[in-house]
Every structure is written in structure tokens, then in C-alpha cells.
Amino acid sequence: MILPLPVPPPPWEWPLPAPVRVVRAFAPPAAPWLPGHRGVDLAARPGLPVRAPAAGRVVFARDLAGRGVITITHGPLRTTYEPVVPAVPQGAAVAAGDVIGTVQRVRTHCFPGTCLHWGLRRDTAYLDPLALLALPRIRLLPRWTGP
């Protein structure tokens, strides 16, 4: 008996309004204790709304080490956003597109600019949050030399 493949979930949304610019890509460390970039940094302005990219439950929404952090569980996945002034309390259910906070004005590694750090984990493994989005696939064709 062949079972049908499960229907994939709808594509996730960007946590910031378009146009979105990635200023630092996901760069996982070679080993869990080594340095790396465990998420992506998105160019942002202080006060810009941050939205839930998919339905989930807020499990953390408060200040941590001088900056606001929001964490949402989406089934087996967990997304994190910082620096953010939370607009939702811990325990709140959110739908895709709900405003969860605003980008906070703090001095970060993006200084003198501002960025939103968007992280993704499954259990203890850090993943690239851009993999959740239905980004266009670019395929390069060979360069033809003839007519």
C-alpha cells in the first residue's frame, strides 16, 4: 500500500514588511560550541512592526540582557526575534501576519544601522529561517555560443 505524501504547510511569511533585505546570512558553526551566525539579520528601522511568520504560541516575550526577545513555537519548530519591543504576552496564540512587536532601538552588531535577528531551531539544531519561505529558485542556463 502506498500512502500519499503529507501536504506541505503553506509558505511562511517574512517577519518584516516588504521589501526585506538580508544583511547577514545564516552561517552555522562547525560544532555547537564554535562561533557562527545562528539565524539571519534583516535590515530594519526602529519602530517597524514585526509579524509572526506562521501560526504558533509565544513562549518568551520580554527583555533579555538589555534587548527585547520574542520566541514562538510552531509545532516542532521555534523561531526567535530580537531586538523587539513585545506587543504580545507570553502564552498568547498568534496567527501568521499578527504583529508581535516592533523593532527596538538598541546598539547591536548592525550598528550604526538597525537589524532584526530571526532565528530558527528544531530541538537543539539551529536552522536557516529563509528555508521556511517560498523564495524564487534561480537557475542559470548554460551560455550558448551558437545561434
Side-chain angles (χ1 to χ4, degrees):
M1 169 187 258
I2 297 175
L3 297 175
L5 292 174
V7 176
W12 288 39
E13 300 175 11
W14 287 100
L16 293 176
V20 179
R21 183 171 57 92
V22 176
V23 293
R24 189 169 178 202
F26 178 68
W33 59 87
L34 293 175
H37 194 237
R38 295 163 173 86
V40 296
D41 290 337
L42 308 175
R45 294 184 323 274
L48 199 62
V50 178
R51 298 181 181 279
R57 182 158 309 276
V58 177
V59 294
F60 189 89
R62 62 180 179 183
D63 186 76
L64 180 66
R67 65 185 60 172
V69 177
I70 298 175
T71 302
I72 302 173
T73 57
H74 313 270
L77 301 176
R78 178 177 287 227
T79 56
T80 303
Y81 313 85
E82 66 173 285
V84 177
V85 176
V88 290
Q90 183 174 328
V94 294
D98 285 354
V99 173
I100 58 173
T102 56
V103 175
Q104 185 179 24
R105 181 186 304 274
V106 295
R107 193 175 187 128
T108 68
H109 60 278
C110 290
F111 186 79
T114 305
C115 63
L116 173 73
H117 179 82
W118 181 22
L120 172 66
R121 281 182 33 190
R122 179 189 299 267
D123 298 320
T124 60
Y126 287 90
L127 305 170
D128 184 353
L130 297 182
L132 299 171
L133 302 171
L135 298 175
R137 294 181 188 219
I138 299 172
R139 288 182 40 174
L140 299 177
L141 297 174
R143 184 173 180 190
W144 302 105
T145 56

